[in-house]
Amino acid sequence: MNITVIGETNIDIRTKATGQLNGNGCTPSVISFHFGGVARNIAANLSQMGHNVRLMTLFGNDDYASQLKQDCEKREIKLDLSDMKDGYHSPFFLSLTDEIGNVKTAFSDMEINNLMDKEWIESKMSEINRADIVVADTLLDKEALAFLIDHCDVPVFIDTVSPNKAVRLAQALKKSRRGIFALKCNQQEAFALTSIGNPKTSAIALNRLGIEHVYVTLGADGVIYSDGADAFHAPALSANVVNVMGSGDAFLAGIIDAFSKGKKGEAALPYGLAASKTIIESSDD
């Protein structure tokens, strides 16, 4: 399928402590650089699955942006909808993780993403609608998300990224006249959207906001799926855990791949869980 993915691309700097954390001194660590961003990760997974992918993102004017672009080109991700912005540097995400990639604390420097606004989306809407599927993350601001939801003629899949960014989707849904086809969020993001702690109840509440298919990921505990009529739990697949970073992005890519094959809702779960397992068992990006 022709899929357009809209959102962030960044430089992901991961710090994995190899010794006891020392608040007053230097903690021994392994520090690594990766190409990241939720939208970029989803695009990379979908391209690997054989889809024609266009990534609509913003690049800073620096050497890191050149590396990010080269990586996308190597993965056959088209960048004709993306823009480079003078006066801005590439976004950075710095995380401190445990031994398998669970984020313990993180810092971000992403000023350029403030330019992912309504005018940016509106200027490219006709091209966006050439896709069979549109995927977006919540690095878009609430006005941009609302405009995208209201003017997109094809199924829209959303990833909420983080609890803080998830609030943008709630605000966008209040402003928009239409709903979205599918949402992937984790339990903390679902709580940010609904203020409901129980993931099944929260998933059903998200359906009532205008979301047809809701997937609430629970890490090692699997996923909750709801179509509004019912919500149920699907366990995670057994895996030799190497790295969990990016597993949620892979899960959504798997759900989208399933949709391209005529599978949706509950029937898409095996595809999402299998894609997530592949990432969890690999040390590659």
Side-chain angles (χ1 to χ4, degrees), residues 116 194 207 231 237 246:
M116 293 185 183
T194 65
N207 292 125
L237 301 178

PDB file of all heavy atoms in Angstrom, residues 116 194 207 231 237 246:
ATOM      1  N   MET A 116       5.369  21.946  13.090  1.00  0.00           N
ATOM      2  CA  MET A 116       4.411  20.975  12.548  1.00  0.00           C
ATOM      3  C   MET A 116       3.003  21.437  12.883  1.00  0.00           C
ATOM      4  O   MET A 116       2.298  20.857  13.705  1.00  0.00           O
ATOM      5  CB  MET A 116       4.685  19.583  13.137  1.00  0.00           C
ATOM      6  CG  MET A 116       5.992  18.972  12.694  1.00  0.00           C
ATOM      7  SD  MET A 116       6.173  17.282  13.320  1.00  0.00           S
ATOM      8  CE  MET A 116       7.805  16.884  12.737  1.00  0.00           C
ATOM      9  N   THR A 194      -7.966   9.860  29.195  1.00  0.00           N
ATOM     10  CA  THR A 194      -9.286   9.565  29.769  1.00  0.00           C
ATOM     11  C   THR A 194      -9.394   9.753  31.277  1.00  0.00           C
ATOM     12  O   THR A 194     -10.506   9.779  31.810  1.00  0.00           O
ATOM     13  CB  THR A 194      -9.667   8.098  29.472  1.00  0.00           C
ATOM     14  OG1 THR A 194      -8.741   7.229  30.158  1.00  0.00           O
ATOM     15  CG2 THR A 194      -9.636   7.811  27.983  1.00  0.00           C
ATOM     16  N   ASN A 207     -12.945   4.808  22.529  1.00  0.00           N
ATOM     17  CA  ASN A 207     -13.882   4.592  21.411  1.00  0.00           C
ATOM     18  C   ASN A 207     -14.960   5.659  21.394  1.00  0.00           C
ATOM     19  O   ASN A 207     -15.359   6.151  20.332  1.00  0.00           O
ATOM     20  CB  ASN A 207     -14.542   3.224  21.526  1.00  0.00           C
ATOM     21  CG  ASN A 207     -13.598   2.055  21.322  1.00  0.00           C
ATOM     22  OD1 ASN A 207     -13.488   1.176  22.171  1.00  0.00           O
ATOM     23  ND2 ASN A 207     -12.895   2.030  20.199  1.00  0.00           N
ATOM     24  N   ALA A 231     -14.077  -4.974  25.075  1.00  0.00           N
ATOM     25  CA  ALA A 231     -12.632  -4.842  25.188  1.00  0.00           C
ATOM     26  C   ALA A 231     -12.075  -6.139  25.750  1.00  0.00           C
ATOM     27  O   ALA A 231     -12.666  -6.727  26.652  1.00  0.00           O
ATOM     28  CB  ALA A 231     -12.253  -3.666  26.090  1.00  0.00           C
ATOM     29  N   LEU A 237       3.569 -12.132  23.041  1.00  0.00           N
ATOM     30  CA  LEU A 237       4.206 -13.367  22.615  1.00  0.00           C
ATOM     31  C   LEU A 237       5.470 -13.600  23.430  1.00  0.00           C
ATOM     32  O   LEU A 237       6.165 -12.645  23.814  1.00  0.00           O
ATOM     33  CB  LEU A 237       4.561 -13.297  21.123  1.00  0.00           C
ATOM     34  CG  LEU A 237       3.391 -13.074  20.156  1.00  0.00           C
ATOM     35  CD1 LEU A 237       3.916 -12.989  18.726  1.00  0.00           C
ATOM     36  CD2 LEU A 237       2.356 -14.179  20.280  1.00  0.00           C
ATOM     37  N   GLY A 246      11.320   1.020  20.860  1.00  0.00           N
ATOM     38  CA  GLY A 246      10.726   0.981  19.525  1.00  0.00           C
ATOM     39  C   GLY A 246       9.737  -0.140  19.309  1.00  0.00           C
ATOM     40  O   GLY A 246       9.169  -0.262  18.215  1.00  0.00           O
TER      41      GLY A 246
END
